[in-house]
Amino acid sequence: MAHPPAVAADVIVVGAGISGLIAARTVLAAGLTPVILEADSRVGGRILTEEAAPGLPVELGAQWIGDTHHRMFALAEELGVQTYPQFDEGETSYELAGSGVLRENEFRARFAGELGELEKVLRLLDELAAEVPPEAPWRAPRAADWDAITAGAWYDGQALSPVARTLLEICTVGILAVPTVEVSFLHLLFTIQTCGVTSELFAESEGGAQTTRFVGGTGEIPKRLAALVTDHLVLDAPVQLIEHSDDSVTVHCRGGRTARGRRVIVAISPALAGRIMYDPPLPGKRDQLTQRMPNASAMKAFFVYDEPFWRAAGLNGQLISDVGPARMSNDTCLPGDDHGVILCFLEGEQARTYGRMPTEERRAALTAELVRHYGDKAARPAAYLDGEWADRQWTRGCYNANLGPLVWTNFGDALAEPIGTIHWASTDTAVRWSAYMEGAVEAGERAAQEVIDALTG
Ligand SMILES: Cc1cc2nc3c(=O)[nH]c(=O)nc-3n(C[C@H](O)[C@H](O)[C@H](O)COP(=O)(O)OP(=O)(O)OC[C@H]3O[C@@H](n4cnc5c(N)ncnc54)[C@H](O)[C@@H]3O)c2cc1C
């Protein structure tokens, strides 16, 4: 079979997630020609809107933005995507430490002391995180000590009661999507600092990372961004090899397609970037880094009901549980639609255990949990949809990459530093809201600016 003709451009972008699309759009606006090579047959990467029922879009990937996601708010406005606030009225339902199912007010009254302990630790985390420069965590004054222990070990050393320790684990795994024993304490502090403070990271209410949703689904963002660069976008083009010299790159895709340019921006997660071959090979430090940035384990499961019956009972659709299988849930109803939609999160070990089960078994286990929290009506969903990410060849886990002990201090400076004509984007390289869409936009803009400076400066 004849190979497709080689494409020529100024800048080759690998990956049409939001980071790669932003990078391509930015170089195009600067008068340079991009070509985006996307492995999948769709754009958006970790953003994926699908219908749980006819006319009912749900987010198998990214869903929310928060009040300080300024780049995303600006982008939505520019693209004409409307936003609306996340529903947050009523009590959360708890099932923790053998307490049985308790409503929030009762839980708070019974465990006031434990919640006070948790609050103190969160304030301490904020203080320590403030010492970590997000653009260079390895330069934190106590980086060596903090990178030598896991977040879990540090948590264990805080003499917390079992309830406070469990709550801390649940809210941290809700962010990192891996158990805290897998993550360096320095990485946890970096994560907090890149987002501001723990209250921004963990809270759903005002100031948190999950306050706002997009009308029509988050998928509208990459779809409309792709329309701006549609003449420069090639789908079904998995990049396998990047040949690079001082002033040019040749990028080879599976199927024989090639693209030649002056610079390349690799806008995929570090683990996947490490699977591309580079000729000449990259420095050992960069490769050792990408060997140590595993993508985490998370999946979302949506239950659609005829109505949001939990609201009438004064519940907000959120649960927090150490019984599971979901450690958390959320009310994700759509405005102007009568259906009730509950989203269950499976994160870390829950995603690994339940994600590998047949769908019907997973659904049954989750249904039983929802019945405990929201009553018998939860047993009869009109529709169910879930989405696993480790099996997806072009993602291989989510939400992002977490660094284990001694990785930031030994290899961290190779994360975003260009290597000759190769530049790095993706949310995992961002310094503000790394792991989020906000970070993906920042990283795409930063990598594009590096290229623009190099080629037009
Ligand atoms: C379940 C889930 C829930 C999330 N929830 C939120 C949320 O509520 N709010 C939030 O802000 N963020 C959330 N995120 C994170 C958010 O989705 C990501 O931060 C963001 O979308 C990352 O964008 P990216 O462009 O950096 O990477 P990606 O989206 O991973 O894009 C990379 C692209 O590169 C392509 N690719 C991979 N390998 C190759 C190759 N060899 N050749 C060519 N192309 C390749 C992929 O197909 C993909 O399209 C969530 C993610 C998931 C999965």
Side-chain angles (χ1 to χ4, degrees), residues 15 18-19 38-39 46 60 63-64 239 268 426-427 435-437:
I18 192 168
S19 203
E38 165 56 50
R46 283 173 266 181
L60 292 177
Q63 180 157 337
W64 292 276
V239 169
I268 64 182
S426 98
T427 191
Y436 292 78
M437 293 181 282

Side-chain angles (χ1 to χ4, degrees), residues 146-207:
W146 290 339
D147 210 22
I149 55 167
T150 66
W154 189 87
Y155 283 0
D156 288 341
Q158 300 311 300
L160 289 167
S161 61
V163 169
R165 176 68 182 85
T166 302
L167 274 171
L168 192 56
E169 185 74 15
I170 290 174
C171 62
T172 312
V173 175
I175 302 298
L176 302 175
V178 291
T180 58
V181 290
E182 289 183 27
V183 176
S184 148
F185 183 51
L186 179 63
H187 182 75
L188 173 69
L189 295 176
F190 159 78
T191 304
I192 294 168
Q193 177 66 344
T194 157
C195 304
V197 285
T198 48
S199 55
E200 283 198 31
L201 199 53
F202 297 141
E204 198 148 285
S205 50
E206 204 178 328

Side-chain angles (χ1 to χ4, degrees), residues 16-346:
I18 192 168
S19 203
L21 291 168
I22 286 285
R25 184 192 79 146
T26 309
V27 297
L28 187 62
L32 297 167
T33 314
V35 162
I36 314 167
L37 300 172
E38 165 56 50
D40 216 331
S41 47
R42 64 173 183 90
V43 299
R46 283 173 266 181
I47 300 169
L48 177 57
T49 305
E50 280 188 8
E51 288 194 342
L56 197 92
V58 295
E59 310 297 347
L60 292 177
Q63 180 157 337
W64 292 276
I65 53 174
D67 294 357
T68 60
H69 294 193
H70 304 302
R71 287 181 168 86
M72 283 301 294
F73 273 107
L75 184 61
E77 192 175 340
E78 179 199 329
L79 298 174
V81 180
Q82 307 285 314
T83 59
Y84 62 97
Q86 164 66 32
F87 176 81
D88 190 24
E89 286 165 29
E91 292 179 78
T92 297
S93 181
Y94 287 80
E95 188 179 29
L96 221 79
S99 67
V101 173
L102 295 177
R103 290 173 73 118
E104 183 170 346
N105 291 339
E106 201 183 345
F107 179 82
R108 287 190 176 281
R110 195 183 296 183
F111 295 110
E114 286 87 346
L115 290 169
E117 288 173 47
L118 178 64
E119 199 50 39
K120 265 194 213 150
V121 172
L122 293 177
R123 294 294 73 79
L124 178 56
L125 283 170
D126 286 337
E127 276 173 35
L128 301 182
E131 294 180 35
V132 177
E135 68 289 351
W138 56 91
R139 292 214 185 99
R142 285 183 273 175
D145 293 341
W146 290 339
D147 210 22
I149 55 167
T150 66
W154 189 87
Y155 283 0
D156 288 341
Q158 300 311 300
L160 289 167
S161 61
V163 169
R165 176 68 182 85
T166 302
L167 274 171
L168 192 56
E169 185 74 15
I170 290 174
C171 62
T172 312
V173 175
I175 302 298
L176 302 175
V178 291
T180 58
V181 290
E182 289 183 27
V183 176
S184 148
F185 183 51
L186 179 63
H187 182 75
L188 173 69
L189 295 176
F190 159 78
T191 304
I192 294 168
Q193 177 66 344
T194 157
C195 304
V197 285
T198 48
S199 55
E200 283 198 31
L201 199 53
F202 297 141
E204 198 148 285
S205 50
E206 204 178 328
Q210 302 188 337
T211 60
T212 306
R213 298 178 60 194
F214 298 104
V215 174
T218 317
E220 285 299 309
I221 300 277
K223 190 175 105 189
R224 294 186 193 202
L225 262 180
L228 301 178
V229 289
T230 188
D231 295 342
H232 307 271
L233 177 62
V234 185
L235 297 177
D236 300 306
V239 169
Q240 294 183 317
L241 166 68
I242 297 178
E243 293 177 301
H244 56 113
S245 69
D246 288 347
D247 56 5
S248 72
V249 294
T250 304
V251 180
H252 300 261
C253 302
R254 193 174 68 200
R257 185 186 296 279
T258 56
R260 295 204 182 91
R262 296 153 75 194
R263 299 269 160 167
V264 60
I265 296 174
V266 180
I268 64 182
S269 68
L272 296 186
R275 293 178 187 179
I276 294 175
M277 282 180 63
Y278 299 86
D279 184 12
L282 299 185
K285 192 178 193 182
R286 166 76 198 182
D287 195 79
Q288 291 252 306
L289 173 73
T290 56
Q291 291 178 45
R292 288 168 171 77
M293 291 193 69
N295 289 326
S297 306
M299 66 181 292
K300 294 163 83 175
F302 292 87
F303 287 80
V304 179
Y305 299 97
D306 292 338
E307 55 174 347
F309 50 85
W310 53 91
R311 291 185 181 181
L315 292 167
N316 59 16
Q318 294 169 39
L319 71 79
I320 295 185
S321 167
D322 67 355
V323 179
R327 295 281 162 94
M328 293 184 182
S329 77
N330 224 295
D331 174 321
T332 63
C333 301
L334 294 177
D337 182 279
D338 291 340
H339 288 100
V341 187
I342 286 276
L343 154 62
C344 293
F345 290 99
L346 292 167

